[in-house]
Amino acid sequence: MVVRVPINGSTLQWARETMFVDQEELAKVANTKVENISSFESGDASPTMRQLEKIAKKLDRTLAFFFTPPPTKSDVPDTADFRGYTGGPIPYLLAREMRRAEQYRETILKLEGAFDQPAFTAQVTIRNAKVRAAEMRRLLDLENNFIPRSNSEYQTLNFWRNLLEKHGFLVFQTTKIDISVFRGLSIYHKNLPIILLNGADSNYGKIFTLFHELAHLINRTSGMCSIYGSENEEYIANNFSANFLMPEELIRSKINESNYTFKSIDQVDLLAKQLKVSSFATGVRLRTLGYISEKFLDSIRSHAEEQWKNERARQKGKSGSPPYWKIRFRDLGSGYIGTIARALEDQKVDWLDASYLLNEKIPTVKNLMDEYYRTEG
């Protein structure tokens, strides 16, 4: 005999719509007909336990959630205008990651208490982006000519990410979301504002996005970015990021030291490696400062795109892939994982709690803890 589970249909509908999942998609997940999903939501029928388990997993909810009344508002954070997005409902995976990022933030506040508001400069505008970028460097205790000493793009990204997290920001990454959907987004909070990066981007691309989103947070805006948008807000954020990562005085000193003439793209690549940024970002900065022509910048853009395609092809051609837990460590970051590790040490949570807070099974949680203590602890 098949046992039916008397859930609250309105709650199911709320959860499905909140996560931008249509009835057809949910029906496929639950291995049932669209008409049955409609009946579950109207209360005319009830799912089996197995169906409910599949539905709950898809909608990123606990089983118990479906027995309660629906919440009064969405728990997927708003992005002000979906900057750079092509329109339509945001993809389910991105909605899930945004929701989880908010949950992780709430977990940190609960386990570690109140945080001071991060150090922000005054508002960034088109005219003052250079000044504000220099001020932000000082707030982060950096000299104006500072360049990370990291030996790889990944290490450089982690340096900048860890630096921002030490100064009161939260940074997460996503997996399996196409780069055409978004490169980064920001969710403003007075305490622990969030930056979400697309894991499909290059590491140097993520670094530029990181400080692009920081500019949006300084200006108290939230939203989704493509980075290449032409709107004033996007231009301001790009300008801030470029000035932060490549201060004019630093650029000029490197050019003078190496006697760069920029008659070839190879010199742009060399300067980019010195500055620990992408060739395209370097090209844009050089164009802004008048060192190269628009035509040469177009060549750099094509060159950078070809490099990225080749790198993606190389990555896809590799035999095997990183262990799942390594991807999760990258996405969650040492900041959040460290919070859970300290809570386990202090017996504020147990392993089952940690599994729930990390959205992972206990064996994966143990791998995450081992990696944290190996690299950070």
Side-chain angles (χ1 to χ4, degrees):
M1 180 179 177
V2 177
V3 178
R4 299 282 172 177
V5 187
I7 63 169
N8 187 319
S10 297
T11 301
L12 171 58
Q13 181 178 356
W14 179 92
R16 179 181 61 76
E17 292 176 349
T18 295
M19 299 301 289
F20 302 96
V21 176
D22 59 32
Q23 291 185 337
E24 289 79 6
E25 185 177 358
L26 195 59
K28 288 179 182 178
V29 169
N31 195 25
T32 190
K33 298 178 180 178
V34 175
E35 294 79 8
N36 289 337
I37 297 296
S38 181
S39 295
F40 298 162
E41 291 182 352
S42 67
D44 294 332
S46 297
T48 65
M49 179 57 76
R50 181 59 178 154
Q51 287 172 334
L52 182 59
E53 288 172 348
K54 291 179 177 180
I55 288 170
K57 182 177 181 180
K58 176 67 176 178
L59 300 181
D60 207 33
R61 309 285 168 176
T62 64
L63 293 177
F65 176 81
F66 295 95
F67 297 93
T68 62
T72 57
K73 63 179 182 178
S74 171
D75 58 357
V76 174
D78 289 332
T79 52
D81 51 12
F82 298 102
R83 296 184 303 268
Y85 188 50
T86 56
I90 64 175
Y92 155 75
L93 281 177
L94 184 53
R96 187 189 73 180
E97 293 307 306
M98 291 166 63
R99 176 177 176 270
R100 287 185 177 184
E102 283 284 89
Q103 289 179 320
Y104 299 149
R105 175 182 176 274
E106 291 172 5
T107 296
I108 293 175
L109 290 171
K110 181 178 179 180
L111 293 176
E112 300 202 343
F115 282 72
D116 293 334
Q117 184 174 355
F120 282 132
T121 68
Q123 184 179 15
V124 183
T125 67
I126 292 174
R127 293 183 178 181
N128 70 18
K130 176 181 177 179
V131 173
R132 294 290 181 254
E135 289 174 356
M136 195 68 215
R137 274 185 164 247
R138 289 193 291 273
L139 288 173
L140 296 177
D141 299 320
L142 300 174
E143 298 291 337
N144 208 40
N145 62 350
F146 173 82
I147 300 173
R149 296 181 179 178
S150 311
N151 296 321
S152 71
E153 292 184 23
Y154 180 73
Q155 291 173 344
T156 304
L157 171 63
N158 279 342
F159 169 83
W160 289 122
R161 178 182 187 173
N162 292 338
L163 180 66
L164 286 184
E165 292 201 327
K166 288 176 182 176
H167 283 81
F169 300 87
L170 284 178
V171 183
F172 301 108
Q173 295 192 60
T174 66
T175 298
K176 296 182 179 179
I177 299 176
D178 195 271
I179 198 70
S180 64
V181 175
F182 89 118
R183 289 179 178 270
L185 64 82
S186 50
I187 304 170
Y188 177 76
H189 292 283
K190 186 175 180 181
N191 305 96
L192 288 184
I194 298 169
I195 295 174
L196 193 60
L197 303 174
N198 193 324
D201 203 354
S202 68
N203 286 314
Y204 280 163
K206 293 173 194 174
I207 291 170
F208 193 88
T209 300
L210 191 63
F211 292 98
H212 174 106
E213 296 302 330
L214 177 60
H216 285 306
L217 292 175
I218 290 171
N219 287 347
R220 276 59 169 179
T221 57
S222 301
M224 191 185 307
C225 297
S226 66
I227 298 303
Y228 300 119
S230 59
E231 297 87 350
N232 279 348
E233 277 192 14
E234 297 303 89
Y235 178 78
I236 292 169
N238 282 342
N239 205 349
F240 174 88
S241 185
N243 275 282
F244 182 93
L245 292 168
M246 299 168 281
E248 183 176 345
E249 296 79 3
L250 179 59
I251 289 270
R252 296 194 187 282
S253 69
K254 293 297 180 184
I255 291 173
N256 292 334
E257 285 174 12
S258 302
N259 295 315
Y260 287 129
T261 59
F262 302 116
K263 293 180 179 179
S264 71
I265 293 177
D266 288 344
Q267 288 191 343
V268 177
D269 287 340
L270 287 172
L271 179 58
K273 288 180 180 178
Q274 288 180 304
L275 297 172
K276 306 292 178 67
V277 295
S278 71
S279 294
F280 180 64
T282 303
V284 173
R285 192 76 174 110
L286 291 173
R287 175 62 187 138
T288 302
L289 296 174
Y291 283 100
I292 63 173
S293 67
E294 191 67 32
K295 184 178 180 180
F296 191 29
L297 178 58
D298 288 339
S299 298
I300 295 170
R301 180 186 288 105
S302 299
H303 169 71
E305 289 173 352
E306 189 63 27
Q307 278 187 323
W308 178 231
K309 286 179 183 177
N310 292 338
E311 175 61 20
R312 294 291 287 173
R314 187 184 70 82
Q315 292 290 342
K316 290 180 180 179
K318 280 185 176 180
S319 58
S321 58
Y324 170 75
W325 62 265
K326 282 197 172 184
I327 300 297
R328 289 301 291 153
F329 192 92
R330 179 204 72 173
D331 288 354
L332 292 169
S334 59
Y336 182 68
I337 293 172
T339 294
I340 305 304
R342 289 187 291 275
L344 282 167
E345 286 180 359
D346 298 338
Q347 297 184 342
K348 293 180 180 178
V349 301
D350 58 24
W351 285 98
L352 190 60
D353 295 325
S355 175
Y356 172 75
L357 295 173
L358 291 164
N359 289 295
E360 295 299 340
K361 296 179 180 178
I362 288 178
T364 299
V365 173
K366 290 184 176 179
N367 281 327
L368 294 176
M369 295 300 111
D370 289 345
E371 182 71 0
Y372 172 75
Y373 286 115
R374 187 184 72 81
T375 60
E376 306 291 339

